[in-house]
Amino acid sequence: MKILAIETSCDETCAAIVEKSNQEIRVLSNTVASQVAIHAKTGGVVPEVASREHIKQMIPVVNQALNDANTLLKDVDAIAVTTGPGLLPALLIGVETARALAASTAKPVISVNHIEGHIGVNILEDAKTLFPAIALVVSGGHTELILVSAWGEYRKLGATRDDASGEAFDKVARMLGLPYPGGPEISRVATNGNPSAFDFPRPMMHDTLDMSFSGLKTAVRYEVEEHKDQLENPQYIADIAASFQQAVADVLVSKTTRAVQQTGAQTVLLAGGVAANILLRDQLEKACLLENIAFIKPRLSYCTDNAVMIGVAALLKGEQGFKDWKTVKADANWELVS
Ligand code: KG4
Ligand code: ZN
């Protein structure tokens, strides 16, 4: 089965061609047109601006993905698209493009949940995942622990009660005068900082799998407001960034370990944009080693939004996921599991 996959849920216009033959998944192309430079000017994503940019980029990105894969549209078996969750004006561009392509070629559409894409892309790193697995989903909009009994079978174990971890990275970066998106910036400057310089809180470390990041964010805000004069000092910025990043990693690693112990999971799957964070990757890897379980993380190019993950999730659904284009619609609040 060969699939054209489309993803426009936030600020990257993406298309990819993926294929499954003899149980093996192959990525034939992966095109991402990033809007980061545009949203950096406003310090975050303005949905209408993202939508207009998707309109400009969508067709060229689809053509590029087809060309790079040496594939004609008529040769794909289905068109997969992220239908949620995400920003509605952004989602609509990908969804309407998929519907139009499907209508004009009489092909089925596979509707994919963005979070399922982030989790499922891990199959490219290890095709023989041992279940049950715990997926730690950490992105700009989500921070969740999900029990994965098999591909496609999910149960939510815990989630943030306020900010998502990626959102906390973005907001703290802003307080420090660092550009959007904040996650990569914080980790970049943190390499020169001391992670113990500030003793920021690790909220809700007690016996729950829910999490909270707004208290940590507020603690950083108080610290920065008290020492505004220090914001010109690169060492101060580096120390705050390193201490904040350490606090986030500590919470995520501790919660994931607890989820593993409570469920007897055999694997941890890391998923979402914050999965690109090197400290988190390293510390989770060590924790899994101590628990004697497998740890799978996406390669860096598959951590942040891309269409390969949407194609992979569609291949995992297979023909059972085929839908008539008329029945496919965007759902900005689609929860993978409630
Ligand atoms: O999955 P993603 O690309 O988009 C959403 O689905 O939200 O995640 C984007 C989030 C942003 O908040 C960004 O700051 C964060 O992922 N991020 C990182 C890193 N790279 C991206 N956070 C921490 N460290 C990173 N290296
Ligand atoms: Zn994402």
Side-chain angles (χ1 to χ4, degrees):
M1 186 186 292
K2 202 185 240 190
I3 288 191
L4 162 64
I6 292 173
E7 149 68 43
T8 64
S9 67
C10 188
D11 59 350
E12 324 271 10
T13 318
C14 319
I17 308 289
V18 296
E19 176 182 66
K20 187 173 182 181
S21 58
N22 298 328
Q23 295 309 306
E24 196 197 334
I25 294 180
R26 292 201 310 140
V27 177
L28 304 187
S29 66
N30 177 21
T31 309
V32 180
S34 177
Q35 304 176 6
V36 159
I38 292 162
H39 300 302
K41 291 184 197 141
T42 43
V45 181
V46 177
E48 299 300 331
V49 175
S51 174
R52 258 178 260 154
E53 223 24 56
H54 285 313
I55 290 173
K56 275 193 231 157
Q57 300 287 352
M58 188 77 266
I59 300 299
V61 162
V62 167
N63 280 335
Q64 176 91 44
L66 288 165
N67 285 341
D68 288 352
N70 256 323
T71 297
L72 296 172
L73 183 57
K74 72 175 178 49
D75 296 330
V76 304
D77 299 295
I79 296 153
V81 63
T82 308
T83 55
L87 306 169
L88 188 63
L91 283 168
L92 283 172
I93 309 309
V95 172
E96 291 311 314
T97 302
R99 280 161 48 98
L101 292 176
S104 61
T105 55
K107 293 189 188 289
V109 175
I110 302 181
S111 162
V112 175
N113 181 293
H114 181 81
I115 300 301
E116 184 161 28
H118 274 304
I119 297 172
V121 79
N122 278 298
I123 201 170
L124 294 176
E125 312 302 339
D126 182 352
K128 295 188 188 66
T129 309
L130 296 173
F131 294 108
I134 298 290
L136 173 63
V137 179
V138 276
S139 73
H142 288 75
T143 295
E144 294 175 345
L145 281 161
I146 295 175
L147 179 69
V148 186
S149 313
W151 295 120
E153 280 177 40
Y154 309 106
R155 183 157 70 82
K156 195 187 283 185
L157 301 174
T160 180
R161 294 196 185 159
D162 38 58
D163 292 355
S165 47
E167 190 183 354
F169 268 99
D170 294 338
K171 287 179 177 166
V172 166
R174 210 175 165 150
M175 290 174 210
L176 298 177
L178 299 169
Y180 174 87
E185 288 295 316
I186 296 254
S187 49
R188 184 178 59 79
V189 300
T191 52
N192 302 318
N194 172 6
S196 320
F198 298 91
D199 187 19
F200 291 133
R202 274 78 171 147
M204 294 183 60
M205 288 294 252
H206 54 277
D207 199 32
T208 165
L209 293 177
D210 281 347
M211 294 163 260
S212 161
F213 293 98
S214 78
L216 168 59
K217 177 191 68 186
T218 308
V220 177
R221 172 166 291 128
Y222 285 155
E223 167 54 43
V224 171
E225 279 176 1
E226 254 178 57
H227 299 99
K228 283 205 180 84
D229 52 316
Q230 287 290 308
L231 284 172
E232 302 294 315
N233 175 358
Q235 192 56 52
Y236 178 77
I237 302 281
D239 286 345
I240 297 247
S243 303
F244 163 78
Q245 178 178 248
Q246 187 63 60
V248 175
D250 284 353
V251 172
L252 293 173
V253 169
S254 143
K255 296 284 174 178
T256 308
T257 308
R258 180 167 294 157
V260 165
Q261 290 165 351
Q262 285 183 7
T263 56
Q266 304 201 56
T267 304
V268 167
L269 304 166
L270 187 55
V274 183
N277 187 273
I278 303 297
L279 181 78
L280 178 63
R281 292 163 85 89
D282 289 351
Q283 302 212 335
L284 213 47
E285 182 136 42
K286 287 195 187 108
C288 289
L289 213 60
L290 281 177
E291 295 294 320
N292 204 15
I293 62 164
F295 175 57
I296 310 179
K297 56 186 188 299
R299 72 198 70 175
L300 289 175
S301 55
Y302 295 157
C303 289
T304 45
D305 292 347
N306 63 85
V308 168
M309 66 185 202
I310 303 308
V312 168
L315 286 173
L316 291 170
K317 288 178 195 283
E319 285 186 17
Q320 282 177 341
F322 282 9
K323 285 185 173 179
D324 186 305
W325 66 270
K326 293 188 206 77
T327 66
V328 175
K329 58 177 198 293
D331 177 359
N333 300 315
W334 181 14
E335 289 276 341
L336 180 61
V337 270
S338 43

